[in-house]
Amino acid sequence: MFLTEGAQGLGLFAFAPLIILFPFLGLLINLTIGRKLGEKGVSFIAISAIILAFVIAVLQLLALLGQPIPLGATVPIAEWITVGDLSISWSMQIDTLSVAMMLMVTSVSALIHIYASGYMHEDVRHQGDPSRFTRFFVYFNLFVAMMMILVTADNYLMMFVGWEGVGLCSYLLIGFWFEKGKDGIGNAIAGKKAFIVNRIGDFGILIAMFLIFWVVGSLRFEDVFHWAHAFGEENVLIISVITMFMLLGVAGKSAQLPLFVWLPDAMAGPTPVSALIHAATMVTAGVYLIVRSSPLYSVTEVTSNIVAIVGTATAFFAATIAVGQSDIKRVLAYSTISQLGFMVAAAGLGAYVAAMFHLITHAFFKALLFLSAGSVIQGIEQGHHDAEHEGAEIEEPFDPQDMRNMGGLRSRMKLTFWVYLIGALALSGFPPLAGFFSKDEILADARIENTGLFLVLLAAAFLTTFYMGRQVLMVFFGKPKTEPAAHAKENPPSMTIPLLILGLLSVIAGALNAPGLHTLTDWLDDTLEHVHVTEFSISVAGIAVIFSTVAVVLAWMIYGRKPMKKGEPDPLRKILGPIYTGMENNWWVDELYQFLFVGPYVKLSQYLADVVDWRFWHDWFHDTVLAKTYRSLSYWLAWTFDLRFIDGIANGLADVTKGAATRLSVLQTGYVRNYALAILAGGLLILSYFIFR
Amino acid sequence: MLAEDLLMNASLSILNWVTFAPLIGVLVIAIIPRKRHDAIRWTALITSLIAFVISLYMLSMFDQSNPDLQMVVRVPWFNIGGVEIEYFLGVDGLSILLVLLTTFLTPISILSTWSAVDERVKEFMIFFLLLEIGMVGVFLAQDLFLFYVFWEFTLIPMYFLIGIWGGTRRIYAAIKFFLYTMAGSLLMLLAILWLGLEFSSFSVPDLVANAKIPPDFQFWLFLAFAAAFAIKVPMWPLHSWLPDAHVEAPTAASVILAGVLLKMGTYGFVRLNLQLFPNASIDLAPWLALFAVIGIIYGAMVSYAQKDAKKLVAYSSVSHLGFVVLGLFALNIVGIQGGILQMVNHGISTGALFLIVGMIYERRHTREMDAFGGLWKIMPIYAAFTLIVVLSSMGLPGLNGFVGEFTILLGSFGSVALGSSLYAIFATTGVILAAIYLLLMFQKLFLGKLDKEENMVLHDINWREIITIVPLIILIFWIGLYPAPFFDLMGPSVEKLVEGLQSAAMVMR
């Protein structure tokens, strides 16, 4: 059962399966005895599991560094599906790309787990069900395990297990407070939406896998890429089709146009979920998939161009929406979509390393921003509680996530403010923070490859700085707009220490692929082919920084100079008019989809169920056509035909039929029994014919 | 052979025991006073467990490298028109999993009736055990006539299970179930008689090996058999009896109906249509696949619009079995193995779904999904089990449904017989649609606010209910993570079947 023969001589690589196993063990322990452990014990188990996974990731890094050329290893675990020509194992591919993902995911996960142990302690009490603390960490551990399956798989099918597995965790965690949200069901519906939209994407992945299998004969990365290497040129068309279907999956998971609609709603999940799953890790899986499949993508110019266009369009489109949001987390959600667009665009342009670089830096600063936002929300909730205690008047319902209820938090939550600022600056791409280097690499690539896309990306970068400026000014500057904001409190160390570490990472992560050093480029070069070094471009960096500075100034002029007062409309509404309304309303994409797809689907299924299936097939065809016709026929047989002709010939048989007919015709269901008897009689007749012929 | 030898042979084979072990229980129950419900229940349960153990023993004797029939029992029975009809049982890779599925689901179903069935327990259990005999017989019979006898025999106990212990419209549903199946099987009977008399044998392996049925005849014979099987599966648009039967049937009967009885139809396609009429199978494969794909999408959409949870699950069977038929008529190894595995998977997942719906029905006496909401809060164990089953049913990778669906879709995508990937592409949309209706069901029952008075006092599932569902959950994970033993069992037989199809195709060209 277990493929052990390959495991010898793997050295440290042999430990790789533990990176999946530890989180699983963590969740199993908490699932079975979590109730007895208490909150401390549960979070200890969950956090330890992830830290151990991180240790394994580091071991894998060391193992790679120990190789003369870090080519990595394949670590087989067990046989999985072997049918006909299809042969797929549970098997891990440890190489520079997967180790980069392992390190990023486990480190960010560990920090967010620690943060969540503090956050969820408060959250479960605010929401009124402390017993769900354990469940949260069970899901959280499961998520990490699934994410590890996703990034370590050595074939598409195993990757797909992780791919849908993280989607399941996303579903469960978005709907974690399943009785909350709009009408008490809003959160559950948001989770379902995420799952279904992702399934639409997964349809694409499935078709891509079918094509790959029937063309290549294998789903292993190694075989597929080898094939692409050897026969890619003459199979450009089929590879284009494969990669296009795959792109559908990418659009689902990484929230790209046209499937991005689930991610903003996913903010219904607790904030650590938004940080870990819907910003730092899961949503980047699509980018990872493209990068992993780069041997396929780099063959086909058609798809690569489409990928670049989809990414760029998403980057810009989502950035415009972010400008018009007033919910602190929704701004960040659209920002995530936009940044994922940058990564996808980079991958489409062939700048796979730039995409990975931005994926990693973004994981740090976006996790930081989300967690800080969580800190803000919880600070305000605390303030809400305290203000109520002091008898202050608060408008109900009070939304602790609405930035229009905030303001002036700079002085009340100093640490949160500073780390938030670092995150915002990193995201905006100010030197020397992490986002500066990674975004510059993408922009520099775009400028070389495609000027049109470069300009759109630049505009998106401009909007990024603008909406972050707007957010920071609305949340932290000016005067508190409500009592809860005025009473806001800083959070305990379990929450703030992870913020500090992530803040530090957001500052220094740019060094990963600093200009001139190309550490990450060299590192990934051993796994990815066609890696090209993008030289740091002073001019591009200069332009980007100038744009960002202008955006900050603009944001200050609009939101900083004269802070909005409570109840005052957004100043941008006056300036932009209907455009602002569009931004505020997500450009009515949800409404459009409702009109085009959801509504018609619901109507069509109801029509099929009520009219076609029930009234036509069930009532009319069966009950009327079949049954009634038969009933009339049997009456005719019994009373006319039967009496006159058969009676004398086959007495016994006819008597049964007739007797039954007379007796049962009074009953409502009589006709069918009669029918049964007639069939039986007919069967006997036929049988006797064969026997006695 | 001498008569004594034949008798020896017959009594020694384990397959007799696998088939007729429940008869012992029937006889014991017959002498237990009817008031002693618990004694009757325990007898039935123990008998069915013994049958299961015997089937495991059969499994241990099964040589999975051998593609042919094993543990054969073959005794002349009687003859018509000079042609011998035999009592002929045998098991191979095509049927062994279904035999095990039957003996596995029967004790689970019996356990689920503990508190649900409180009237005429004696008759109920007798019918239930008789039903098991019929089902196992269908999967083991290798003589066409014997097959037909077992096939029709299953109708009678099921007819009474629905008609006596069912819901308010039980008589209507029971008769409809009976007539639909009967109507289809009459055509099959005609075809069986014609085949047997024309080729002087009713033995399936002999007919496969010796009879070269002319393609013109194959066409009509195929249709005659297909009529019986398509109604049983049921394939669209012959499914009209299914929602009635399921809605009215008691939980245990629904579990068996969906879990095993429907598989008799898909099994019939594999055992008889593909083997006996390979040319017709190749010719008609696109048509069968077309109806299968329509069924997948149609069933999923109609499921979505249901308000009654049990009806939703019933229609989902139309969709799921569409996948099975599609896989079988891909006529390649991957598709057929996927199809057979998916029969088992559907038995597990849908069986479990019916158990789950039954548990809530027993508590609230309604299955209207709008009557619930927020149950997760007070029934967390029940919710967790349901979630796993729902995920299995919608084919989440890592669980059993995915392995079956993936291999079916993969097989049909590249199928030469179907000649087009469009069938698989349309069928794959069923994966999206399944998530839509199943998550809706889960949401309506478990998520949202717990705001209905009647629901607030519900208690979580008890130990007996946990025991009924846990074996299914274990299999859901087992097949999902490590399906190799299951594929290995059927592998050689399916390969042989596909070789037969291929050589038929060669002759045709």
Side-chain angles (χ1 to χ4, degrees):
Chain A
M1 161 173 183
F2 291 98
L3 311 171
T4 40
E5 67 271 28
Q8 268 105 45
L10 283 171
L12 286 175
F13 289 122
F15 291 103
L18 294 177
I19 204 167
I20 302 170
L21 193 68
F22 281 134
F24 262 121
L25 280 179
L27 90 88
L28 281 179
I29 294 172
N30 279 336
L31 194 62
T32 44
I33 56 165
R35 238 163 240 288
K36 287 175 200 129
L37 292 174
E39 287 193 5
K40 288 243 166 63
V42 167
S43 38
F44 174 77
I45 298 283
I47 293 167
S48 315
I50 306 305
I51 289 177
L52 285 171
F54 175 70
V55 170
I56 300 297
V58 173
L59 282 182
Q60 301 309 301
L61 175 70
L62 294 176
L64 277 179
L65 291 173
Q67 289 181 323
I69 308 167
L71 292 176
T74 302
V75 184
I77 303 171
E79 187 190 342
W80 186 19
I81 302 179
T82 313
V83 186
D85 301 327
L86 174 73
S87 169
I88 294 166
S89 322
W90 296 102
S91 175
M92 299 168 81
Q93 179 157 334
I94 309 301
D95 57 20
T96 54
L97 178 61
S98 62
V99 169
M101 287 298 284
M102 286 154 83
L103 284 167
M104 184 279 277
V105 173
T106 51
S107 61
V108 174
S109 296
L111 291 171
I112 298 180
H113 269 73
I114 296 169
Y115 175 94
S117 69
Y119 184 94
M120 290 313 290
H121 174 80
E122 294 296 327
D123 198 42
V124 291
R125 283 163 180 78
H126 278 305
Q127 308 280 357
D129 185 3
S131 68
R132 267 183 237 182
F133 187 87
T134 312
R135 194 185 296 168
F136 181 88
F137 282 96
V138 168
Y139 293 163
F140 236 34
N141 273 188
L142 179 66
F143 170 76
V144 177
M146 287 299 175
M147 197 69 204
M148 286 302 115
I149 293 178
L150 199 169
V151 300
T152 58
D154 89 330
N155 61 73
Y156 280 105
L157 200 65
M158 176 174 161
M159 186 219 70
F160 192 63
V161 173
W163 182 272
E164 281 227 332
V166 291
L168 166 68
C169 299
S170 166
Y171 164 78
L172 292 170
L173 284 160
I174 294 168
F176 187 73
W177 297 109
F178 53 77
E179 70 276 48
K180 303 281 164 76
K182 195 166 176 274
D183 300 330
I185 193 79
N187 291 2
I189 288 175
K192 191 175 68 176
K193 181 176 176 183
F195 199 98
I196 290 169
V197 173
N198 269 290
R199 269 259 155 140
I200 295 171
D202 295 351
F203 165 82
I205 306 255
L206 281 169
I207 303 288
M209 285 197 286
F210 301 151
L211 279 165
I212 291 174
F213 177 77
W214 286 104
V215 173
V216 182
S218 167
L219 288 172
R220 292 192 61 214
F221 293 143
E222 204 184 320
D223 302 336
V224 176
F225 302 155
H226 204 267
W227 171 84
H229 218 70
F231 307 105
E233 294 300 322
E234 60 238 52
N235 288 296
V236 174
L237 181 67
I238 190 79
I239 292 181
S240 300
V241 176
I242 291 171
T243 45
M244 278 302 294
F245 274 112
M246 218 182 262
L247 177 61
L248 189 63
V250 172
K253 191 109 296 178
S254 288
Q256 298 294 293
L257 283 169
L259 297 180
F260 70 98
V261 288
W262 64 272
L263 187 60
D265 291 16
M267 296 301 124
T271 305
V273 175
S274 311
L276 179 61
I277 302 183
H278 303 121
T281 57
M282 181 187 86
V283 287
T284 63
V287 181
Y288 167 77
L289 176 62
I290 298 184
V291 174
R292 174 58 83 190
S293 308
S294 60
L296 294 175
Y297 277 90
S298 51
V299 175
T300 156
E301 209 159 305
V302 187
T303 317
S304 287
N305 283 334
I306 293 172
V307 171
I309 291 167
V310 166
T312 309
T314 309
F316 180 75
F317 187 76
T320 63
I321 301 172
V323 173
Q325 299 302 308
S326 51
D327 182 303
I328 186 171
K329 279 175 73 181
R330 281 181 94 86
V331 174
L332 295 177
Y334 283 107
S335 162
T336 305
I337 298 173
S338 171
Q339 294 302 307
L340 290 164
F342 273 92
M343 300 171 211
V344 170
L349 292 167
Y352 302 112
V353 176
M356 283 304 295
F357 186 24
H358 199 53
L359 187 157
I360 293 168
T361 60
H362 175 261
F364 295 141
F365 58 69
K366 192 50 76 56
L368 171 65
L369 282 169
F370 264 113
L371 295 186
S372 314
S375 170
V376 167
I377 295 163
Q378 206 145 82
I380 294 211
E381 292 236 15
Q382 277 294 323
H384 186 190
H385 189 77
D386 293 354
E388 247 176 2
H389 220 65
E390 288 171 23
E393 270 187 41
I394 301 158
E395 271 181 59
E396 295 293 342
F398 177 79
D399 181 359
Q401 302 195 17
D402 193 330
M403 299 192 294
R404 291 169 299 196
N405 289 335
M406 300 177 186
L409 293 180
R410 182 178 36 150
S411 52
R412 298 207 58 95
M413 303 180 75
K414 284 206 184 67
L415 192 138
T416 302
F417 166 66
W418 281 109
V419 290
Y420 207 99
L421 194 63
I422 291 172
L425 291 173
L427 171 59
S428 307
F430 280 102
L433 303 178
F436 167 74
F437 294 100
S438 57
K439 201 187 280 180
D440 182 74
E441 218 175 295
I442 295 175
L443 289 173
D445 258 302
R447 206 194 58 156
I448 298 164
E449 303 280 335
N450 189 325
T451 318
L453 296 184
F454 167 69
L455 291 175
V456 179
L457 287 174
L458 199 61
F462 172 80
L463 288 174
T464 307
T465 316
F466 180 77
Y467 65 67
M468 285 317 292
R470 171 178 178 266
Q471 186 177 50
V472 170
L473 288 165
M474 281 175 84
V475 173
F476 294 100
F477 287 79
K479 288 199 175 64
K481 295 188 193 74
T482 53
E483 284 298 319
H487 288 79
K489 266 210 193 83
E490 189 56 274
N491 286 293
S494 64
M495 286 169 67
T496 49
I497 289 171
L499 292 181
L500 287 171
I501 300 174
L502 282 168
L504 182 70
L505 286 167
S506 302
V507 175
I508 60 168
L512 263 180
N513 208 28
L517 288 173
H518 309 305
T519 324
L520 188 68
T521 310
D522 294 343
W523 176 250
L524 292 179
D525 189 37
D526 294 309
T527 301
L528 305 176
E529 305 147 42
H530 317 286
V531 162
H532 60 268
V533 176
T534 315
E535 278 310 331
F536 182 73
S537 158
I538 292 284
S539 57
V540 172
I543 295 169
V545 172
I546 291 169
F547 266 72
S548 290
T549 316
V550 172
V552 172
V553 173
L554 201 62
W556 186 80
M557 298 219 323
I558 297 173
Y559 294 96
R561 219 172 23 156
K562 214 175 64 182
M564 267 181 352
K565 293 197 180 60
K566 175 74 187 157
E568 199 184 341
D570 198 294
L572 215 51
R573 191 187 294 280
K574 258 183 284 173
I575 305 167
L576 294 175
I579 299 177
Y580 184 81
T581 318
M583 292 169 160
E584 199 181 14
N585 290 299
N586 185 24
W587 298 110
W588 301 283
V589 175
D590 276 319
E591 287 78 2
L592 180 73
Y593 287 0
Q594 178 71 32
F595 175 75
L596 285 180
F597 307 113
V598 183
Y601 181 79
V602 174
K603 281 222 185 74
L604 182 60
S605 24
Q606 268 157 3
Y607 177 80
L608 284 178
D610 298 341
V611 180
V612 176
D613 199 77
W614 209 251
R615 295 230 295 272
F616 177 75
W617 280 122
H618 187 274
D619 289 349
W620 185 77
F621 188 74
H622 171 78
D623 285 0
T624 308
V625 177
L626 288 186
K628 263 213 186 110
T629 311
Y630 180 75
R631 176 148 42 169
S632 329
L633 191 68
S634 73
Y635 279 143
W636 183 78
L637 280 175
W639 297 115
T640 318
F641 181 75
D642 193 58
L643 276 179
R644 288 185 195 161
F645 299 96
I646 307 288
D647 218 18
I649 307 161
N651 257 322
L653 205 64
D655 274 349
V656 173
T657 321
K658 190 182 68 181
T662 355
R663 206 154 24 86
L664 297 175
S665 57
V666 251
L667 296 173
Q668 187 226 338
T669 54
Y671 65 94
V672 257
R673 285 197 196 171
N674 190 1
Y675 178 34
L677 284 167
I679 287 183
L680 201 64
L684 285 173
L685 269 176
I686 295 161
L687 191 63
S688 40
Y689 165 76
F690 278 112
I691 295 175
F692 301 113
R693 71 172 180 175
Chain B
M1 252 190 274
L2 291 167
E4 298 96 88
D5 293 341
L6 292 173
L7 271 175
M8 278 295 280
N9 166 335
S11 60
L12 279 178
S13 171
I14 186 76
L15 295 189
N16 289 320
W17 291 98
V18 175
T19 314
F20 290 103
L23 202 55
I24 303 165
V26 172
L27 296 175
V28 175
I29 290 173
I31 56 170
I32 299 179
R34 59 170 57 253
K35 292 240 172 81
R36 302 199 47 196
H37 288 178
D38 275 338
I40 294 169
R41 287 178 184 133
W42 278 107
T43 312
L45 180 65
I46 291 167
T47 313
S48 61
L49 284 172
I50 291 171
F52 180 56
V53 171
I54 296 174
S55 69
L56 289 181
Y57 180 66
M58 168 194 77
L59 175 67
S60 72
M61 306 217 308
F62 185 78
D63 171 14
Q64 60 182 33
S65 61
N66 179 355
D68 298 315
L69 290 173
Q70 301 178 36
M71 299 168 234
V72 170
V73 195
R74 201 167 178 175
V75 194
W77 189 11
F78 64 95
N79 74 61
I80 51 170
V83 182
E84 199 79 65
I85 286 176
E86 292 163 300
Y87 173 78
F88 182 4
L89 301 180
V91 66
D92 65 3
L94 304 181
S95 55
I96 187 159
L97 283 173
L98 292 166
V99 174
L100 291 165
L101 179 71
T102 310
T103 54
F104 171 74
L105 280 180
T106 303
I108 287 177
S109 306
I110 288 175
L111 196 59
S112 80
T113 65
W114 229 248
S115 54
V117 175
D118 225 20
E119 279 171 52
R120 306 204 202 180
V121 179
K122 183 167 176 170
E123 289 89 339
F124 185 94
M125 293 304 173
I126 288 177
F127 282 130
F128 219 86
L129 292 173
L130 288 175
L131 182 60
E132 186 178 12
I133 297 175
M135 294 184 298
V136 174
V138 166
F139 295 133
L140 292 179
Q142 302 301 334
D143 179 281
L144 283 174
F145 200 88
L146 186 65
F147 175 84
Y148 182 79
V149 168
F150 278 124
W151 174 276
E152 293 289 1
F153 180 71
T154 58
L155 279 183
I156 298 157
M158 190 45 103
Y159 171 82
F160 285 113
L161 287 173
I162 298 174
I164 297 178
W165 290 271
T168 43
R169 279 162 58 84
R170 56 183 181 267
I171 304 285
Y172 170 85
I175 292 176
K176 196 170 174 182
F177 160 77
F178 193 91
L179 291 185
Y180 261 71
T181 319
M182 190 94 159
S185 43
L186 267 182
L187 285 171
M188 177 168 74
L189 176 63
L190 273 178
I192 287 176
L193 291 173
W194 189 88
L195 256 179
L197 297 175
E198 190 69 26
F199 295 97
S200 307
S201 171
F202 285 97
S203 138
V204 178
D206 291 355
L207 283 170
V208 172
N210 306 328
K212 292 285 169 272
I213 306 169
D216 298 351
F217 289 112
Q218 283 196 22
F219 179 80
W220 295 106
L221 292 166
F222 182 100
L223 288 186
F225 278 87
F229 302 146
I231 288 176
K232 199 81 182 182
V233 170
M235 287 181 71
W236 182 88
L238 304 170
H239 61 278
S240 182
W241 64 270
L242 185 75
D244 284 314
H246 267 311
V247 168
E248 301 307 329
T251 298
S254 275
V255 174
I256 290 296
L257 182 61
V260 185
L261 276 187
L262 306 187
K263 271 54 183 210
M264 286 164 39
T266 45
Y267 168 77
F269 278 124
V270 189
R271 169 70 66 197
L272 301 179
N273 285 45
L274 297 191
Q275 291 210 103
L276 290 172
F277 322 121
N279 302 84
S281 296
I282 294 166
D283 288 341
L284 288 168
W287 288 99
L288 269 295
L290 178 68
F291 282 101
V293 171
I294 293 175
I296 291 172
I297 296 172
Y298 180 94
M301 290 188 80
V302 173
S303 283
Y304 176 74
Q306 299 305 317
K307 296 190 165 57
D308 178 309
K310 206 170 179 191
K311 229 164 156 182
L312 185 151
V313 179
Y315 277 108
S316 82
S317 287
V318 176
S319 185
H320 280 126
L321 289 167
F323 277 104
V324 174
V325 174
L326 177 66
L328 299 181
F329 282 93
L331 302 184
N332 54 26
I333 294 175
V334 180
I336 294 175
Q337 292 215 33
I340 294 176
L341 185 73
Q342 196 64 355
M343 292 185 208
V344 178
N345 288 335
H346 178 262
I348 294 165
S349 308
T350 307
L353 279 176
F354 277 119
L355 285 177
I356 279 163
V357 174
M359 288 169 187
I360 197 67
Y361 181 74
E362 219 180 297
R363 286 166 170 72
R364 284 277 274 103
H365 297 286
T366 179
R367 294 179 298 243
E368 289 290 314
M369 291 186 286
D370 287 334
F372 300 102
L375 293 184
W376 199 330
K377 224 168 175 165
I378 42 162
M379 305 176 76
I381 303 174
Y382 180 56
F385 283 143
T386 307
L387 182 66
I388 294 170
V389 174
V390 158
L391 294 171
S392 141
S393 184
M394 73 167 83
L396 188 86
L399 303 181
N400 62 340
F402 176 73
V403 179
E405 272 177 19
F406 181 79
T407 40
I408 284 170
L409 292 170
L410 188 74
S412 54
F413 191 91
S415 162
V416 181
L418 296 182
S420 165
S421 298
L422 283 176
Y423 300 99
I425 292 175
F426 278 102
T428 309
T429 62
V431 174
I432 306 173
L433 304 186
I436 296 178
Y437 67 78
L438 283 164
L439 288 182
L440 181 76
M441 181 182 92
F442 189 74
Q443 174 187 313
K444 282 193 170 177
L445 294 181
F446 294 98
L447 308 181
K449 276 194 161 64
L450 179 69
D451 51 5
K452 307 223 172 27
E453 289 278 331
E454 311 89 301
N455 295 335
M456 291 179 187
V457 292
L458 295 181
H459 47 94
D460 209 337
I461 55 176
N462 59 34
W463 273 108
R464 179 185 54 81
E465 289 167 319
I466 291 176
I467 292 170
T468 56
I469 201 118
V470 162
L472 297 165
I473 302 279
I474 292 171
L475 275 173
I476 283 174
F477 281 105
W478 182 5
I479 300 179
L481 297 171
Y482 190 61
F486 298 84
F487 281 130
D488 290 348
L489 278 173
M490 65 175 100
S493 294
V494 172
E495 275 160 36
K496 191 182 152 207
L497 171 66
V498 172
E499 274 165 27
L501 285 162
Q502 277 163 351
S503 58
M506 297 289 278
V507 172
M508 200 159 66
R509 286 196 191 97

